[in-house]
Amino acid sequence: MSGRTLPFIGIPSCVRTFNERDFHTVNERYPNAVIDAAGCVPLVIPAIGPKIDCGAVLDGLDGLLLTGSPSNVEPFHYGGPPSQEGTLHDPERDATTLPLIREAVRRNMPVLAICRGIQELNVALGGTLHQRIFEMPDRFNHRRRGRPMMIRTASATARRTALP
């Protein structure tokens, strides 16, 4: 920790499109939990994939918090079939988190994964996913309900998609 008194916890962001502009976002509950529950300093990591050296990023951190998100890991990362139409993806987040996770695990760095973060952890370590687990019998559907939210889709262009 090189003289720091509080641990730094990295939180990889999602890329969301609002009013036709892309933003790197983290739901406020995650940094607040890092501060309030863990007494640490949250640092948001932009989802910019290979533009950053994940080793250098991790050199300045004491742990990672992999958050939930409405998007899913793209299936080509784990050899899965193409996603159904309308499935939300965040390719920039995938390109950022998967290498970060592999390096963090290699370093024995603490990693806490929640929801999508668990998917990322599983895929980064060689696992596969069932893309629509919420449709399986006896599975709880914990996806977001209520007001719509705009997020980036898997297409190369940043078209907007409203979530139910």
Side-chain angles (χ1 to χ4, degrees):
M1 287 196 319
S2 68
R4 287 188 270 131
T5 57
L6 294 175
F8 288 170
I9 305 300
I11 306 174
S13 69
C14 296
V15 176
R16 301 270 168 80
T17 302
F18 298 97
N19 296 324
E20 301 177 13
R21 290 182 173 83
D22 292 338
F23 292 85
H24 296 267
T25 66
V26 172
N27 185 302
E28 71 176 334
R29 71 178 145 218
Y30 298 115
N32 285 339
V34 167
I35 295 165
D36 298 337
C40 299
V41 177
L43 298 175
V44 175
I45 302 168
I48 55 177
K51 294 179 184 177
I52 60 171
D53 175 356
C54 67
V57 170
L58 293 175
D59 286 344
L61 299 176
D62 299 292
L64 280 178
L65 172 59
L66 306 170
T67 67
S69 175
S71 64
N72 293 310
V73 176
E74 289 191 287
F76 75 85
H77 290 292
Y78 54 88
S83 296
Q84 291 183 8
E85 182 68 30
T87 300
L88 303 173
H89 295 289
D90 189 338
E92 291 88 353
R93 178 168 165 160
D94 292 347
T96 303
T97 58
L98 298 177
L100 278 173
I101 293 166
R102 290 180 189 113
E103 181 60 17
V105 168
R106 189 190 72 73
R107 294 177 180 212
N108 292 318
M109 179 178 278
V111 175
L112 175 62
I114 301 167
C115 194
R116 186 194 205 276
I118 296 170
Q119 292 180 36
E120 293 167 332
L121 181 63
N122 179 53
V123 170
L125 300 179
T128 61
L129 300 173
H130 188 291
Q131 292 183 38
R132 301 179 69 83
I133 196 162
F134 57 88
E135 291 178 350
M136 295 178 69
D138 302 321
R139 301 293 178 176
F140 176 71
N141 184 355
H142 74 282
R143 295 177 304 154
R144 179 184 173 97
R145 295 176 186 89
R147 62 186 185 275
M149 176 175 53
M150 308 307 271
I151 77 165
R152 183 179 208 111
T153 63
S155 69
T157 60
R159 65 178 184 186
R160 294 183 299 162
T161 304
L163 293 177

